[in-house]
Amino acid sequence: VAVQDPTEGDQPRGKQSDRPEGIFYLPSSGIWQTVWLEPVPERHIQRILVRPDWAAGAFVVQVMANDLGNDVRAEVVALLDGEPSGRADGPVGMPLTLPLEPARDWSPEDPVLYDLTIRLRLGGDVVDEVQSYAGLRDVRLGEDGEGFRALLLNGQPLFQVGVLDQGYWPDGLYTAPSDAALRYDLETARRLGFNLVRKHVKVEPQRWYYWADRMGLLVWQDMPSGDNTGDQGRRRFEIELKRMLEQLRNHPSIVMWVLFNEGWGQFDTERLVRGIRRADPTRLVSNASGWTDAKVGDVADLHSYPDPRAPTPETGRASVLGEFGGLGLVVEGHAWSETTWAYQGVTDAQSLALQYGRLLDRVHRLRRSHGLAATVYTQLTDVE
């Protein structure tokens, strides 16, 4: 296994920089995602695609294998709390509808997950078997009852209150020290009252999304940014965008793809949004979080520091506040550098709580006056 990481080359890299200062970070070279080698049978399952059909109370599952012969078939079994809940079988590579009984919704209040067993059969014999899971939920735009566009989860408006998460660690940069550490950050977000995390210009290891699925945390997933100044860099960006969608699309927690952030490397926005919609019509799309809205996608996404603002209400898109806040408190014994940075510093925990409360009060006023459908506070932690 080898990796090439020029960092400053024209490739998606998020906030990594050879000149880390301000909002940018020290680069994390090498292999930081999970790597494994797995023996498989001669005929084997390569990947699965699971699409929730919430209205029908079913999953639509495609089983991809290295053998698509007519004598090879796929079988999918769903269990809920260990009890059989649905079964489907059919040709490999074809969409298989898996009706669920009972059909229970996945949501932040009740993150119900079905266990899936997927088998590859040749004649009457099982030649390969894998385990997975899925959540039954629906994400779309709708009305909030007050004439504004809203973000709907399972047919009902849900105000999404999130926190920005950059996924940097003082002892590992892009690599978390442990699975428990990944889990702790998400549990902390839930305990502090958030139902959403915006994963900011980084793709996490699958385990991070596993915990979000289990906890019922909604996720807005950013595409890591790059310069995209030349044809080669833009091709690289599109290749990695496609791979990110394929890698993460089975996670029920992900409810929105964020294509660009604040105009960083932005190009061909309308075409790329169309491509995301074709690849994954089950989720919402933010064409640009921040400054350079191309007027496509599902949301008008504004950034405002430190005080919150709301985009002008539209008839076709929901108004969201993709970043605001940025209050910074340096906690003695928990700062690894004498140099700290924030959009606005505070002196103690009491001041932080008071100012944060005032900002959130203004957010909720914007819900009523401008139909604000979601907000993302910057941020839980910072490391440089």
Side-chain angles (χ1 to χ4, degrees):
V1 179
V3 63
Q4 179 186 9
D5 182 14
T7 297
E8 286 296 305
D10 199 0
Q11 65 172 20
R13 64 182 182 273
K15 282 193 167 184
Q16 301 177 84
S17 173
D18 285 339
R19 295 172 297 279
E21 59 186 5
I23 64 171
F24 292 94
Y25 294 113
L26 194 70
S28 180
S29 184
I31 299 170
W32 55 270
Q33 283 270 10
T34 305
V35 178
W36 74 94
L37 193 66
E38 178 183 3
V40 296
E42 180 180 358
R43 292 181 174 89
H44 57 268
I45 298 166
Q46 294 175 312
R47 63 190 178 105
I48 62 170
L49 300 177
V50 182
R51 178 176 63 83
D53 186 344
W54 177 76
F59 294 126
V60 178
V61 183
Q62 282 181 275
V63 180
M64 319 303 285
N66 69 327
D67 189 337
L68 302 179
N70 293 331
D71 55 345
V72 180
R73 294 180 67 82
E75 177 187 59
V76 185
V77 178
L79 292 93
L80 182 62
D81 299 327
E83 296 295 325
S85 182
R87 182 185 178 279
D89 67 87
V92 170
M94 298 297 292
L96 307 178
T97 299
L98 182 70
L100 300 170
E101 181 58 47
R104 289 180 54 189
D105 297 347
W106 181 96
S107 70
E109 293 76 26
D110 189 21
V112 175
L113 294 173
Y114 290 82
D115 294 312
L116 300 180
T117 298
I118 301 96
R119 300 185 180 99
L120 201 63
R121 289 187 176 274
L122 179 61
D125 298 327
V126 176
V127 295
D128 195 15
E129 178 178 306
V130 298
Q131 309 292 323
S132 189
Y133 66 86
L136 183 65
R137 61 105 182 92
D138 181 73
V139 180
R140 66 183 65 230
L141 290 182
E143 299 296 330
D144 66 354
E146 300 295 330
F148 296 113
R149 298 297 279 170
L151 307 180
L152 304 187
L153 180 66
N154 304 330
Q156 298 298 320
L158 175 65
F159 186 65
Q160 298 181 17
V161 184
V163 64
L164 199 71
D165 183 357
Q166 319 234 22
Y168 268 79
W169 303 83
D171 52 357
L173 301 181
Y174 256 11
T175 305
S178 66
D179 181 58
L182 287 177
R183 179 177 181 175
Y184 176 81
D185 272 12
L186 295 175
E187 287 177 334
T188 299
R190 287 294 274 158
R191 189 172 67 250
L192 293 175
F194 298 106
N195 61 17
L196 167 72
V197 171
R198 180 182 169 201
K199 177 49 61 179
H200 193 33
V201 290
K202 180 192 178 188
V203 176
E204 291 286 359
Q206 294 274 11
R207 192 70 175 176
W208 187 91
Y209 303 94
Y210 165 85
W211 287 121
D213 295 338
R214 292 285 173 190
M215 295 178 199
L217 258 174
L218 307 176
V219 175
W220 293 3
Q221 176 63 51
D222 286 16
M223 173 61 192
S225 54
D227 293 339
N228 301 329
T229 54
D231 291 341
Q232 183 176 357
R234 293 183 176 191
R235 284 195 298 270
R236 185 78 247 164
F237 181 90
E238 292 195 50
I239 289 170
E240 295 196 21
L241 172 63
K242 180 175 182 289
R243 289 179 177 176
M244 181 185 75
L245 299 178
E246 291 176 349
Q247 177 180 332
L248 301 180
R249 64 178 299 166
N250 287 342
H251 289 285
S253 57
I254 299 175
V255 295
M256 186 183 298
W257 303 114
V258 180
L259 177 57
F260 292 111
N261 179 75
E262 295 187 347
W264 300 348
Q266 190 164 348
F267 71 100
D268 290 356
T269 306
E270 297 89 340
R271 179 179 62 82
L272 292 174
V273 167
R274 289 196 300 270
I276 293 173
R277 289 197 190 283
R278 284 194 301 269
D280 181 13
T282 70
R283 292 179 173 89
L284 303 177
V285 182
S286 172
N287 82 95
S289 186
W291 307 333
T292 49
D293 183 14
K295 304 296 182 182
V296 294
D298 297 296
V299 295
D301 189 338
L302 182 70
H303 293 181
S304 178
Y305 286 105
D307 295 339
R309 294 188 296 126
T312 302
E314 300 181 10
T315 58
R317 299 189 301 171
S319 297
V320 303
L321 179 59
E323 294 180 26
F324 82 104
L327 305 177
L329 173 64
V330 179
V331 181
E332 186 176 352
H334 293 271
W336 76 306
S337 171
E338 294 181 359
T339 303
T340 61
W341 186 90
Y343 285 96
Q344 181 174 308
V346 295
T347 56
D348 53 44
Q350 184 177 2
S351 298
L352 175 62
L354 183 63
Q355 292 195 46
Y356 175 76
R358 287 173 175 168
L359 291 179
L360 262 290
D361 283 343
R362 296 187 63 176
V363 163
H364 288 289
R365 288 199 293 270
L366 290 169
R367 287 180 64 187
R368 296 186 290 271
S369 64
H370 287 70
L372 190 67
T375 189
V376 178
Y377 175 78
T378 304
Q379 59 190 347
L380 272 184
T381 59
D382 205 358
V383 303
E384 290 190 337

